[in-house]
Amino acid sequence: MSATRLLVLGGVRRSGRAHGYTVRRELLSWGSDEWAHVNPGSIYHALRQLAKEGLLHAHDVEESDAGPPHVDYEITDAGREEFLRLLRSALGTVDVRHPEMLTAGLGFLTELPRAEAIALLRRRLDGLAAWRASVSPPADALDPGDHLRELLGWWTHSADAATAWTHGLIERLEGGAYVMAGEAPESAAAAGTAG
């Protein structure tokens, strides 16, 4: 799974129809070049590749008073499906080797209905529990003088911290935080003050 793919599809989807520069500027404003190693060249390459795959539609725009000729991109129905598949996987799957996927997914959290986002985060909790269980027992089996206990301790601590944070996000969502897909801004605010 690729954070670049999720970010570019999401960036175009959010813009409606956008020039590559617009998508690039938005993603770089998130710092994606730092945490997902998404550089400008990879964004333009992804735009062309996603268009070739039929996930984006490329519109050639002729030169005008507004500027030189360029290509605008718009997401297709297949692109929306792929975006949602990647987003659901990023939020619901624990992949310690690719933390940038969760980060990218959080950027588009509100593109999902509230109940679905909560369900995906609960699935993430199951994955975190499984990951913690997989690293915790070996630490107990190691010799107390073995420095690898520190590595396993770090993983256990990371799983515990991620679990606590995920519980907090679920609580915030259940309390009405954020305007999620399909909600009017007023309904989310009312949900946050109800009860």
Side-chain angles (χ1 to χ4, degrees):
M1 193 165 41
S2 163
T4 302
R5 191 174 177 90
L6 173 57
L7 288 165
V8 170
L9 285 170
V12 172
R13 182 178 189 263
R14 193 170 274 171
S15 297
R17 180 172 164 165
H19 182 283
Y21 176 77
T22 304
V23 175
R24 184 188 108 194
R25 186 180 65 227
E26 174 73 11
L27 296 180
L28 293 179
S29 76
W30 295 11
S32 63
D33 53 330
E34 294 294 324
W35 52 263
H37 309 292
V38 176
N39 61 51
S42 62
I43 293 170
Y44 289 113
H45 173 75
L47 286 164
R48 288 189 300 275
Q49 182 61 36
L50 292 166
K52 188 185 297 186
E53 292 176 30
L55 302 177
L56 296 177
H57 181 73
H59 300 275
D60 290 320
V61 178
E62 295 184 14
E63 184 172 2
S64 70
D65 292 340
H70 63 274
V71 177
D72 281 349
Y73 294 91
E74 187 173 18
I75 198 162
T76 64
D77 289 340
R80 274 187 278 287
E81 289 177 25
E82 176 69 357
F83 165 75
L84 289 171
R85 183 190 72 76
L86 290 169
L87 176 57
R88 289 171 178 133
S89 180
L91 294 174
T93 305
V94 174
D95 185 349
V96 296
R97 294 165 300 163
H98 299 286
E100 72 277 5
M101 286 306 299
L102 174 61
T103 308
L106 290 172
F108 299 107
L109 174 69
T110 58
E111 303 293 323
L112 293 172
R114 187 174 303 277
E116 182 178 9
I118 291 169
L120 288 166
L121 292 167
R122 289 194 188 288
R123 189 171 89 201
R124 179 171 207 77
L125 287 174
D126 293 340
L128 287 166
W131 176 47
R132 189 188 193 290
S134 74
V135 296
S136 205
D140 297 336
L142 288 176
D143 180 296
D146 191 336
H147 72 282
L148 290 179
R149 294 176 63 85
E150 297 302 328
L151 175 61
L152 297 174
W154 166 247
W155 287 340
T156 301
H157 173 78
S158 297
D160 291 344
T163 298
W165 177 85
T166 303
H167 277 295
L169 178 54
I170 290 170
E171 288 174 15
R172 289 186 293 281
L173 289 173
E174 289 175 337
Y178 316 116
V179 178
M180 304 298 286
E183 296 177 349
E186 307 81 44
S187 67
T193 60

